[in-house]
Amino acid sequence: MSAKQRKLPLYEQIKNKMLMKINHGDWTPGENIPSESQLMERFNVSRTTIRQALRDLAHQGIIETRRGAPSRVSISPKGKPRSQGVFHHEMGNEMTVKVLRTGVVTNYEALRRLNLGKSEQVFFLERLRLADRKPIAYQQLFLPFEIGKVVKDYAEIEFDIFPKLGREDIHYSTIKEQVNAAVATQYEADLLGIFPGEPLVDIDRLTLGIEGSPIEYSRTKYRTDSFHYKVEIGG
Amino acid sequence: MSAKQRKLPLYEQIKNKMLMKINHGDWTPGENIPSESQLMERFNVSRTTIRQALRDLAHQGIIETRRGAPSRVSISPKGKPRSQGVFHHEMGNEMTVKVLRTGVVTNYEALRRLNLGKSEQVFFLERLRLADRKPIAYQQLFLPFEIGKVVKDYAEIEFDIFPKLGREDIHYSTIKEQVNAAVATQYEADLLGIFPGEPLVDIDRLTLGIEGSPIEYSRTKYRTDSFHYKVEIGG
DNA sequence: CCGTATTTGTACGTATGTATT
DNA sequence: CAATACATACGTACAAATACG
């Protein structure tokens, strides 16, 4: 048990452990999870506590419970978006990535967003995201140094760094995104194969870890023709 | 206690009674509700049961609870809100609207999105949305004819047409939005007080009614400096 | 400012109901 | 029908944050 989790309520700790099992693939979507009594034994807590954890997960749509039947992990479209289906990115088929630059920098805005001191350093990644070999986005990624060194090599070949973080037991709990519009600079236009002055969707993203501390800050600019940002509210 | 006659669980019954109190104005938004111990006495049930009812209401955003402080009814703009807070627009103080044009038109894209036949007509509104007297968005709004005639006059003075629709017993269930980036045309730039070629956030919105049929299609272009589109996932 | 009372949050235990397997 | 598993509901105790004199 990580030291940071010790101050969290029991049911929150258990929730996090269950989330890890799911993100890890220990419990796969559609699969039954252990019964409440088994979980009571495994975590050595009362049924009340187990049920509070399960209820929260069920309410978030991460698991499904039915009276009389075993509870199971929800079958959500892809690995990620078990965030009650309010959110959707649409992309291409073959998603790849090209790393343009990597290093350790002192970026004021990134440090502020990552809750780090002004004199600290962050791991920096500049990447081009490609869909079917065609560039669709230019991304600047800032990671706390401790996390950066973990994904360093991985980021050069994989489109999404979160699976890697998951394998290293670094999990996220919340993603905050802010969407804006921008026009392409000469530099960005060259990279993305468009003209300067064309519009780009600019997404400012902050990812928080299980304990609520930031684990990633990124800024991505997408071509408007290959990318859609959809939100569905209610329903 | 005779349990044979009740269909709903106790906590559901209590939830319903509390909802009635709120809807009837017995408990008004912002007002503290009775403490758990008082509710235990009043309904003659255990604290567990009261807490289950309260937790559900809190989770729906109908009431707010804080450790140590009395629970209170949420101050939410009545009728609709309660879409579990995954989504947030940030704007100015004094929100107004100026109608530029209004009429009945045959717009192919609007008809398609509203699920209407090609020969039908839709109610059209062209509006400028202002925050603190400053234009922040240019909006094109398409409504099925039946609905359009209801909001016709209202739309000229009110920023948001949904309260009016609510009073006419037209409610929405789902909103689908697609966010994109665009650059301002000369026409838009003049209206918004910016230069042509500056970026705009372009939001394509389709609103569905209770029965699932579209009741509004709109296209809005926001200035990037006075508008933020935020999405929070998970948590 | 401090201590106390109030109020919600967490966690334990037990018993019984009810739907599924 | 029986066993299993989740749902409801009672009770108790203590912790933690807030409100108040």
Side-chain angles (χ1 to χ4, degrees):
Chain A
M1 178 187 321
S2 111
K4 291 169 189 168
Q5 294 232 357
R6 225 184 308 253
K7 53 190 165 196
L8 288 176
L10 269 177
Y11 76 91
E12 290 280 1
Q13 294 178 38
I14 289 169
K15 234 167 70 179
N16 288 336
K17 284 177 183 167
M18 291 177 175
L19 279 172
M20 286 184 200
K21 289 220 176 276
I22 292 170
N23 285 337
H24 251 262
D26 278 355
W27 295 350
T28 60
E31 187 189 351
N32 291 346
I33 68 178
S35 73
E36 292 176 0
S37 32
Q38 287 172 319
L39 292 170
M40 285 169 65
E41 263 198 19
R42 180 172 311 185
F43 293 113
N44 199 33
V45 295
S46 73
R47 182 154 174 236
T48 313
T49 306
I50 292 293
R51 278 187 66 74
Q52 182 149 6
L54 291 177
R55 174 189 305 195
D56 281 10
L57 294 177
H59 207 113
Q60 286 178 55
I62 292 168
I63 66 170
E64 290 165 7
T65 66
R66 274 155 54 228
R67 192 185 207 123
S71 304
R72 59 163 173 261
V73 179
S74 299
I75 36 102
S76 68
K78 288 275 157 60
K80 276 304 85 117
R82 41 184 97 278
S83 60
Q84 59 262 66
V86 197
F87 169 81
H88 181 57
H89 276 166
E90 189 179 333
M91 304 199 188
N93 284 324
E94 186 200 354
M95 307 303 297
T96 51
V97 69
K98 183 182 169 190
V99 172
L100 303 175
R101 203 150 42 113
T102 159
V104 175
V105 300
T106 301
N107 178 293
Y108 180 71
E109 175 67 1
L111 288 171
R112 191 180 66 79
R113 298 296 295 275
L114 292 171
N115 265 348
L116 297 175
K118 289 186 181 179
S119 57
E120 296 192 64
Q121 289 192 312
V122 292
F123 194 86
F124 173 66
L125 262 169
E126 191 182 47
R127 312 197 303 171
L128 211 52
R129 298 176 76 140
L130 313 164
D132 305 328
R133 311 286 172 92
K134 222 183 45 147
I136 60 163
Y138 164 69
Q139 179 175 57
Q140 293 176 316
L141 220 156
F142 300 91
L143 302 165
F145 192 74
E146 290 304 308
I147 292 173
K149 63 186 185 191
V150 170
V151 298
K152 189 174 180 308
D153 304 320
Y154 191 80
E156 305 197 9
I157 49 171
E158 285 297 331
F159 191 72
D160 193 345
I161 62 168
F162 285 104
K164 172 63 172 176
L165 290 178
R167 281 196 289 281
E168 299 289 334
D169 255 355
I170 300 171
H171 303 274
Y172 70 86
S173 64
T174 307
I175 298 177
K176 295 183 182 183
E177 294 193 331
Q178 182 162 326
V179 188
N180 225 307
V183 294
T185 62
Q186 179 73 56
Y187 177 63
E188 291 160 353
D190 288 345
L191 288 172
L192 295 172
I194 58 176
F195 294 107
E198 283 198 52
L200 295 173
V201 175
D202 179 1
I203 298 188
D204 185 288
R205 179 171 81 171
L206 186 68
T207 306
L208 305 180
I210 299 290
E211 305 88 10
S213 54
I215 59 176
E216 180 231 29
Y217 169 63
S218 71
R219 189 98 185 230
T220 310
K221 293 181 179 176
Y222 291 88
R223 284 179 60 150
T224 54
D225 57 355
S226 332
F227 176 76
H228 297 289
Y229 192 95
K230 292 179 183 177
V231 176
E232 188 165 330
I233 305 152
Chain B
M1 185 182 303
S2 154
K4 287 166 189 169
Q5 286 200 338
R6 40 169 218 262
K7 307 177 166 195
L8 287 176
L10 270 179
Y11 76 92
E12 290 280 3
Q13 294 179 36
I14 290 169
K15 235 167 69 180
N16 289 336
K17 284 177 186 169
M18 291 177 174
L19 279 172
M20 282 185 209
K21 289 218 177 275
I22 292 169
N23 286 336
H24 282 164
D26 267 357
W27 296 348
T28 60
E31 186 189 348
N32 292 344
I33 68 177
S35 73
E36 291 176 1
S37 31
Q38 287 174 319
L39 292 170
M40 285 169 65
E41 263 198 19
R42 180 172 312 184
F43 292 113
N44 198 33
V45 296
S46 73
R47 188 166 168 223
T48 313
T49 305
I50 292 293
R51 278 187 66 74
Q52 181 148 7
L54 291 177
R55 174 183 308 182
D56 281 9
L57 294 177
H59 207 113
Q60 287 177 57
I62 293 168
I63 65 170
E64 291 166 7
T65 67
R66 273 156 56 229
R67 190 190 210 120
S71 304
R72 60 163 173 262
V73 179
S74 298
I75 35 106
S76 64
K78 287 203 69 141
K80 208 41 242 166
R82 343 202 167 295
S83 66
Q84 55 262 65
V86 196
F87 168 80
H88 181 57
H89 277 164
E90 191 178 333
M91 305 199 188
N93 284 325
E94 186 200 354
M95 308 303 298
T96 51
V97 70
K98 183 181 169 191
V99 172
L100 303 174
R101 204 150 42 113
T102 158
V104 175
V105 300
T106 300
N107 177 293
Y108 179 71
E109 175 67 3
L111 288 170
R112 192 180 64 80
R113 299 296 294 275
L114 291 171
N115 265 346
L116 297 175
K118 287 186 183 180
S119 57
E120 296 193 64
Q121 289 191 311
V122 291
F123 194 86
F124 172 66
L125 262 168
E126 190 182 48
R127 313 197 303 170
L128 212 52
R129 299 176 73 140
L130 314 164
D132 305 329
R133 312 287 172 90
K134 224 184 43 151
I136 60 163
Y138 164 69
Q139 180 176 57
Q140 292 177 317
L141 221 154
F142 301 91
L143 303 165
F145 192 76
E146 290 303 308
I147 292 173
K149 62 185 184 190
V150 169
V151 298
K152 188 175 182 304
D153 304 321
Y154 191 80
E156 305 196 9
I157 48 169
E158 286 295 333
F159 190 72
D160 193 346
I161 61 169
F162 285 105
K164 172 65 173 173
L165 289 177
R167 281 196 290 282
E168 299 289 335
D169 257 352
I170 300 171
H171 302 275
Y172 70 86
S173 65
T174 308
I175 298 176
K176 295 183 181 184
E177 293 193 330
Q178 181 163 325
V179 189
N180 226 306
V183 293
T185 62
Q186 180 72 57
Y187 177 64
E188 291 161 351
D190 287 345
L191 287 173
L192 295 172
I194 59 175
F195 294 107
E198 283 197 53
L200 295 173
V201 176
D202 179 1
I203 298 188
D204 185 287
R205 180 172 80 171
L206 186 69
T207 306
L208 305 180
I210 298 291
E211 310 86 9
S213 55
I215 58 175
E216 180 230 31
Y217 169 62
S218 71
R219 188 97 186 233
T220 311
K221 293 183 179 176
Y222 290 89
R223 284 179 61 150
T224 54
D225 57 356
S226 333
F227 177 75
H228 297 291
Y229 192 95
K230 291 179 183 176
V231 176
E232 187 165 331
I233 305 152

